[in-house]
Amino acid sequence: MAGVLQGVTVIELAGIGPGPFCGMMLADHGARVIRVERPGSSGRFGTSGNRDILNRNRERIELDLKDHAAIEQLKDMVKEADALIEGYRPGVIERMGIGPDVLLALNPKLVIGRMTGWGQQGPMAPLAGHDINYIALTGALHSYGRAGEKPTFPVNAVGDFGGGGMMLAFGVVAGVLHARSGGQGQVVDCAMIDGAAILSAMTYTFLGNGQWRDERGVNLLDSGAHFYDTYETSDGKYISLGSIEPQFYALLMKKIGLAGDPDFAQQMNPLKWGELKVRMTALILTKTRDEWCAIMDGTDICFAPVLSLKEAPQHAHNLARHTFVEDGGMVQPAPAPRFSATPAPPVKLAGR
């Protein structure tokens, strides 16, 4: 098995977080990704040694990019590559003597993926930041959390990985397709702030159409509604409900014994959501998570138990789909998405 990106060569200037995630996505699907690391890092692949999932499926070499000979070696590699990705602050690779003008002169078809938080231009471009800051400036962080409480950030999934690494992988593949179809190489300016913003497109749609209040925890999809939320069970675990459509909501009401209740019949009345959530909370607390699974599993309620990181790989659905795999004694998410004709090769952690 070679993967859908067989024949694509990417040079990855070693970094952390979203850059390696992009490299992982490309390498998972068959691209040859050569990770260029600083000398002395051979025993420490990335930030987590050989057990860093983000750095799997790579080739790696060590180059001191402060050394002229190493820069020349990198330039030779660029001549045969489809793409180069880097995650330094704006201007760093230019000062190293390998800026876009230099690289594109060596290889006019090269795609240069530049991963930053604030982007290559703009008043904040040279400043430090992290995921929490990038999503804060887009309005996204403002919308995550409970009513009357402070914003709750979703780990670093939205800025670093969804809006950063995944967006860069998309940009690199799109750029390579363009170059191979008769176009030219170019720079992909992938800023986590831009990516986090575009991930909020539907929320801005709702807001622009007057269907979203610009505050937390009072809207359809942000924990405001009683039928789209998580609930604690009697054993201290949780379940998730997403019964938006009327037929799914009706099935939920039937399964939990509330069919015909006049208050719960007012599903889409936001003025009722608060009191209905209080009642739902008390009701769900009367049974364990497993008891609710026995009632709701296998139905169209739009239900799932909230599983821990250790529980998730053992769920029957995940096992059937091989959603998680193991290499080197480490359980990890399998490559995604799935391709019917060119499936991803087996994962391989660094050093294996």
Side-chain angles (χ1 to χ4, degrees):
M1 292 185 291
V4 72
L5 293 178
Q6 182 184 24
V8 175
T9 299
V10 179
I11 299 169
E12 174 191 354
L13 302 187
I16 60 173
F21 182 81
C22 170
M24 182 197 75
M25 290 296 298
L26 300 173
D28 276 357
H29 293 288
R32 181 190 182 197
V33 180
I34 306 168
R35 184 173 164 92
V36 179
E37 299 182 337
R38 289 191 294 264
S41 60
S42 59
R44 272 182 37 80
F45 197 55
T47 59
S48 303
N50 289 340
R51 291 167 57 81
D52 192 334
I53 294 168
L54 296 182
N55 294 332
R56 69 190 182 192
N57 296 336
R58 308 290 213 286
E59 297 177 32
R60 63 180 182 183
I61 64 171
E62 293 185 357
L63 291 177
D64 181 1
L65 296 181
K66 296 179 181 179
D67 178 74
H68 176 73
I71 290 292
E72 292 304 310
Q73 184 177 343
L74 180 67
K75 289 180 179 178
D76 286 339
M77 294 168 58
V78 162
K79 294 175 184 178
E80 306 299 324
D82 294 284
L84 176 143
I85 59 176
E86 58 94 0
Y88 302 126
R89 293 199 202 192
V92 170
I93 63 170
E94 286 85 349
R95 292 192 294 272
M96 295 166 65
I98 50 172
D101 291 346
V102 173
L103 299 181
L104 288 170
L106 293 169
N107 181 353
K109 296 284 190 179
L110 186 72
V111 176
I112 304 168
R114 309 194 71 174
M115 181 80 263
T116 60
W118 304 115
Q120 296 297 313
Q121 294 86 31
M124 298 182 70
L127 304 179
H130 276 298
D131 179 295
I132 192 172
N133 311 123
Y134 311 137
I135 68 174
L137 215 60
T138 65
L141 181 55
H142 170 77
S143 65
Y144 305 151
R146 299 284 176 177
E149 298 181 10
K150 67 179 184 178
T152 302
F153 48 94
V155 232
N156 60 337
V158 174
D160 279 350
F161 298 114
M166 189 72 76
M167 210 65 67
L168 182 59
F170 168 77
V172 167
V173 171
V176 169
L177 283 173
H178 172 74
R180 288 190 171 187
S181 63
Q184 60 187 12
Q186 58 188 306
V187 174
V188 180
D189 177 1
C190 186
M192 285 175 261
I193 186 172
D194 299 342
I198 203 166
L199 290 175
S200 300
M202 189 175 74
T203 307
Y204 275 101
T205 292
F206 290 152
L207 182 68
N209 287 321
Q211 299 169 321
W212 192 271
R213 290 163 59 188
D214 195 14
E215 54 186 288
R216 281 181 299 285
V218 297
N219 298 288
L220 180 68
L221 301 177
D222 66 357
S223 80
H226 62 286
F227 51 85
Y228 199 93
D229 204 350
T230 58
Y231 288 95
E232 186 176 2
T233 55
S234 63
D235 52 351
K237 298 179 181 180
Y238 291 84
I239 62 169
S240 68
L241 296 174
S243 312
I244 299 175
E245 291 79 2
Q247 68 273 28
F248 304 151
Y249 183 75
L251 184 57
L252 171 67
M253 294 296 99
K254 178 182 177 181
K255 287 288 187 177
I256 63 177
L258 291 172
D261 186 292
D263 290 326
F264 278 95
Q266 301 182 60
Q267 177 190 3
M268 289 299 178
N269 180 0
L271 298 179
K272 299 289 291 184
W273 287 351
E275 64 181 84
L276 296 180
K277 184 166 289 191
V278 171
R279 290 182 60 188
M280 282 282 285
T281 298
L283 176 60
I284 301 301
L285 271 171
T286 63
K287 298 182 186 297
T288 67
R289 189 182 70 180
D290 286 348
E291 288 173 328
W292 285 118
C293 285
I295 292 170
M296 299 190 199
D297 270 346
T299 74
D300 278 343
I301 284 175
C302 302
F303 159 87
V306 177
L307 302 180
S308 72
L309 295 173
K310 291 183 178 179
E311 290 175 317
Q314 302 306 315
H315 188 273
H317 187 76
N318 292 331
L319 288 171
R321 287 188 55 79
H322 305 287
T323 300
F324 295 88
V325 295
E326 183 272 336
D327 182 62
M330 180 174 249
V331 175
Q332 54 200 284
R338 313 286 179 87
F339 293 87
S340 62
T342 53
V347 300
K348 187 176 182 181
L349 285 177
R352 290 184 54 78

